[in-house]
Amino acid sequence: QWFFRPYYRLLRDNPHYRVLWLANTISRTGDSLNYIACLTLINTIDSSGLLLSMYLLTRMLPRLLLGPVVGLLVDRFDRRAFMFSCDLIRAWLVLLYLGVRDRNTVWLLFIVSVVQFSFATLFEPCRASLMPNTVRPCEIFTANTFDGTMWSVTIALASPLGGLLITHYGTNVGFLANAATYLAAAVLLVPLLVDKTMSIEGLKSRAAVRRQQCEAAESEFDQGPAFVHLAVDFSVQSPQEWSAYSSARITEPLDTWTLLTEDAAEHGVEAVESAGELLDAT
């Protein structure tokens, strides 16, 4: 239970992150379905390894060519609009896989694959750079850990389920399901798209406020060893209040209005212990 508690709080307390995570999970599920459907279709057309190697090349080529410049594009435009557009375009694009029937039309699979993963190369940096703006600064590490874990879980679950689906109903059903996942992900991103606080202007405004709060917090920490002695005195007199106070100043200097949260109490214990060690050293 303690293992899942930080991730549960992360999803519960951050609606923007929850939407972003859910949309990305659905989109990744569609990617797994697409991968299995394409491999099955290629094996049906030609069991040799030539077509398979060409397909894998078309998946990696966009990242190789667009990777160095994609960051410049992401920084110049609204990332939410980029993500929404990428999912919406891919939802219609993958339907072209339905036209691949034999060796005479396999070229269509390669072209669609290049275009599809070109949009995927644009999508991922947008999502990664937008994610820190959907959580508090102290939760970024937890969010990154949760995202990496869920990526593995999604692949592990979607791959066998996709294999069963395509084995029983064919590759066309797999491509249709892939299109549906992209469309669902785009719909889920609409709340982020219309939220003004997540716009470029809104993020700049939040960054300016956060910068001012950081400067104010840094000036408080200039007290040096005096703060350590205050920490120990306060912790002895009222451990619970100090726990919340120290957490707010050390781990969450930007959120001074939530001093008595459960997270603050947990982190505060570590802060008291650290303060005691520093005092013993002096």
Side-chain angles (χ1 to χ4, degrees):
Q1 184 179 2
W2 63 267
F3 177 80
F4 296 102
R5 182 182 297 177
Y7 306 126
Y8 169 73
R9 293 176 184 164
L10 181 71
L11 294 174
R12 181 194 64 189
D13 300 337
N14 301 282
H16 288 152
Y17 176 80
R18 185 168 62 245
V19 169
L20 187 64
W21 167 77
L22 184 58
N24 189 49
T25 299
I26 294 176
S27 180
R28 284 174 175 171
T29 302
D31 289 337
S32 298
L33 295 175
N34 178 269
Y35 182 61
I36 296 173
C38 285
L39 292 181
T40 304
L41 182 59
I42 290 174
N43 187 64
T44 302
I45 295 174
D46 190 345
S47 58
S48 67
L50 179 60
L51 294 182
L52 178 60
S53 62
M54 293 178 63
Y55 169 67
L56 295 178
L57 178 62
T58 60
R59 289 174 60 97
M60 297 295 107
L61 195 61
R63 297 182 181 179
L64 179 64
L65 298 179
L66 298 178
V69 299
V70 70
L72 299 176
L73 295 175
V74 170
D75 290 337
R76 291 179 179 271
F77 301 96
D78 191 330
R79 295 159 187 169
R80 304 167 304 160
F82 242 123
M83 296 172 61
F84 177 80
S85 300
C86 287
D87 274 335
L88 200 59
I89 292 174
R90 286 187 293 176
W92 295 104
L93 183 66
V94 295
L95 295 178
L96 295 177
Y97 284 117
L98 299 176
V100 180
R101 299 294 183 183
D102 48 34
R103 293 183 64 91
N104 294 327
T105 55
V106 73
W107 58 269
L108 180 61
L109 183 145
F110 298 141
I111 294 177
V112 174
S113 179
V114 169
V115 179
Q116 176 188 358
F117 286 96
S118 294
F119 283 107
T121 304
L122 295 172
F123 179 91
E124 185 57 31
C126 291
R127 184 202 62 81
S129 58
L130 187 63
M131 186 274 292
N133 297 310
T134 62
V135 298
R136 295 179 296 176
C138 63
E139 294 175 321
I140 293 178
F141 178 78
T142 303
N144 284 326
T145 303
F146 182 66
D147 186 67
T149 302
M150 290 308 300
W151 179 84
S152 301
V153 171
T154 301
I155 299 299
L157 294 178
S159 297
L161 292 177
L164 291 174
L165 178 69
I166 293 170
T167 299
H168 287 85
Y169 300 103
T171 56
N172 286 347
V173 173
F175 293 132
L176 290 174
N178 182 203
T181 59
Y182 285 144
L183 186 60
V187 172
L188 286 173
L189 290 174
V190 171
L192 290 182
L193 195 62
V194 300
D195 192 339
K196 294 183 179 180
T197 62
M198 296 298 294
S199 65
I200 296 177
E201 293 76 12
L203 294 178
K204 287 182 179 179
S205 177
R206 289 168 55 188
V209 173
R210 185 173 296 174
R211 189 178 301 110
Q212 294 176 356
Q213 293 175 331
C214 285
E215 293 174 355
E218 289 176 0
S219 65
E220 293 182 5
F221 284 116
D222 290 339
Q223 300 174 43
F227 177 74
V228 176
H229 289 272
L230 173 63
V232 177
D233 293 339
F234 195 7
S235 65
V236 172
Q237 296 175 8
S238 181
Q240 293 182 348
E241 292 183 13
W242 159 247
S243 175
Y245 174 75
S246 62
S247 178
R249 293 193 58 176
I250 294 175
T251 64
E252 295 187 51
L254 307 182
D255 193 6
T256 56
W257 298 105
T258 56
L259 299 181
L260 298 178
T261 62
E262 188 174 355
D263 279 335
E266 293 180 356
H267 291 95
V269 174
E270 300 177 0
V272 172
E273 294 176 353
S274 300
E277 294 175 359
L278 289 175
L279 184 59
D280 292 339
T282 59

